Amino acid sequence: MQNVMKSFREVLSNAKNVLIFTGSGVSAESGIPTFRGAGGFWRKYQAQDLATLRAFKENPSLVWEFYEHRRVIASQAQPNKAHEAIAEFQNHYCTQGKKVTIVTQNIDNLHQRAGAKDVIELHGSLYKTRCIKCKDISVNENIPICPALEEKGLPDPNIMISDIPLDQLPHCEKENCNGLLRPHIVWFGENLDKHILSKTYEAMEECDACLIIGTSSIVYPAAMFAPQVAERGIPVAEFNIEETPATRRFQYHFQGPCTYTVPEALTP
Ligand code: BJW
Ligand code: ZN
């Protein structure tokens, strides 16, 4: 492991353009549950039951409670040593005229809170809303997001109903709109933003080293990105507590909690 780590650190020291992909595993040690791990349930639901437009249309109150809970958890969490090492690496490399692009599937804002710059958020953000009527996207960090959601969203599986009246859920404040707001998050079956995808493809084309940290590599299209970089012959290093369906596609695999392995790779 030590020699392999030494080899990857050499790759990084010669690289001019590094791409870092992250998933929910990077925030696991900050106390934010991953999707497919043991903590991936909220009440009796899994994320794929609620993270759909259909679920939101059927019961916007329930879906807003779910996201209110996630906003509370994420805002109380602190960036961990992996987020910090990534942000410091980016900062340090930029002062040497090199480039580090961070592309995350996470919606928790922890990379940015650790000091990372220009983070590309593939799946949106817990702290942005989108109006279903005028499509306006706004930043909203209020907790609760509206009075009716105060203390709502408790994960207790015995809570069976969610019946906040529609007019008390978050609504658009643009003049003459008042449309219902939804979380600005890419739900299952929805397309990723074209502009964000093209920035990601550009970073994939330009990079000469790549890290993929804390993702199961099973949700598409993000699951294809690091393997596509590896197919170009670029050294890719996976950091995960276990092997994933993509592991064999990568030159390096560092197994263990990313708060140990990532600082080991990135700290000068
Ligand atoms: C650690 C660790 C530690 C833990 N240290 N590591 C084939 C091709 C294309 C699309 C599809 C396809 N088959 C199915 C689809 C559709 C679907 C999809 O991919 N489904 C899969 C489940 C198969 N994709 C979509 O719907 C996407 N849209 C799309 O494809 O549009 C075209 C289309 C239109 C119409 C119909 C079909 C297609 C959109 C995907 C959006 C994903 N959104 C979510 C939910 C967001 C909402 C929310 O958060 O509430 O984003 S899904 C969820 O998974 C979330 C995550 O960003 C994403 C990735 O999960 P991640 O981060 O990898 O987490 P886990 O839990 O899976 O893994 C954690 C990892 O960390 C593990 O490996 C651990 O070992 C590791 N770990 N602790 C290091 N300390
Ligand atoms: Zn509106």
Side-chain angles (χ1 to χ4, degrees):
M1 174 84 157
Q2 272 326 100
N3 282 346
V4 185
M5 183 59 89
K6 195 166 166 237
S7 154
F8 183 61
R9 284 175 60 90
E10 261 165 42
V11 166
L12 285 180
S13 66
N14 294 323
K16 294 194 170 51
N17 198 321
V18 179
L19 174 56
I20 303 181
F21 286 115
T22 68
S24 64
V26 78
S27 298
E29 292 166 81
S30 292
I32 300 183
T34 60
F35 288 87
R36 290 158 191 91
F41 273 87
W42 177 80
R43 296 186 187 165
K44 60 180 179 174
Y45 305 99
Q46 278 195 290
Q48 56 262 39
D49 301 325
L50 299 171
T52 68
L53 185 59
R54 187 174 164 184
F56 185 68
K57 283 183 173 162
E58 271 173 20
N59 195 341
S61 166
L62 180 72
V63 174
W64 263 119
E65 280 202 53
F66 173 56
Y67 282 101
E68 177 65 19
H69 171 67
R70 310 261 307 277
R71 286 162 65 97
V72 170
I73 298 281
S75 62
Q76 289 171 350
Q78 297 304 324
N80 64 42
K81 288 192 160 55
H83 297 108
E84 284 164 6
I86 291 166
E88 280 160 23
F89 175 75
Q90 184 189 44
N91 202 357
H92 181 72
Y93 253 49
C94 289
T95 60
Q96 300 179 346
K98 300 177 176 186
K99 190 172 172 189
V100 177
T101 306
I102 299 160
V103 177
T104 188
Q105 296 172 78
N106 299 347
I107 57 177
D108 58 27
N109 213 27
L110 288 184
H111 285 303
Q112 294 88 331
R113 283 175 51 202
K117 306 276 174 344
D118 302 322
V119 178
I120 298 177
E121 294 178 312
L122 283 175
H123 293 162
S125 168
L126 275 173
Y127 303 104
K128 286 183 185 160
T129 59
R130 186 162 84 243
C131 174
I132 62 168
K133 194 166 154 197
C134 74
K135 313 294 176 211
D136 176 65
I137 297 165
S138 298
V139 173
N140 184 321
E141 295 179 349
N142 299 340
I143 305 250
I145 191 167
C146 64
L149 279 160
E150 183 155 22
E151 311 259 312
K152 293 286 183 172
L154 293 175
D156 181 351
N158 297 315
I159 303 174
M160 302 306 277
I161 48 166
S162 172
D163 53 4
I164 300 168
L166 197 59
D167 63 356
Q168 290 180 32
L169 291 174
H171 278 75
C172 182
E173 287 176 1
K174 294 270 150 194
E175 224 179 319
N176 301 326
C177 181
N178 201 37
L180 180 64
L181 296 181
R182 59 165 279 180
H184 182 55
I185 287 170
V186 184
W187 284 331
F188 284 106
E190 294 188 318
N191 289 315
L192 279 66
D193 182 284
K194 282 198 184 75
H195 178 62
I196 285 175
L197 277 177
S198 64
K199 283 204 289 187
T200 304
Y201 293 140
E202 200 179 304
M204 287 163 61
E205 281 299 311
E206 284 177 348
C207 72
D208 49 14
C210 175
L211 291 79
I212 173 160
I213 306 169
T215 174
S216 58
S217 289
I218 63 170
V219 173
Y220 286 85
M224 296 186 306
F225 296 158
Q228 281 172 350
V229 171
E231 261 164 42
R232 276 181 51 226
I234 302 298
V236 178
E238 181 180 55
F239 296 77
N240 203 303
I241 50 171
E242 59 190 25
E243 292 198 352
T244 72
T247 301
R248 62 178 179 80
R249 319 268 296 263
F250 306 135
Q251 192 174 335
Y252 298 93
H253 172 82
F254 298 108
Q255 198 150 331
C258 61
T259 54
Y260 288 92
T261 53
V262 170
E264 207 183 341
L266 297 185
T267 310

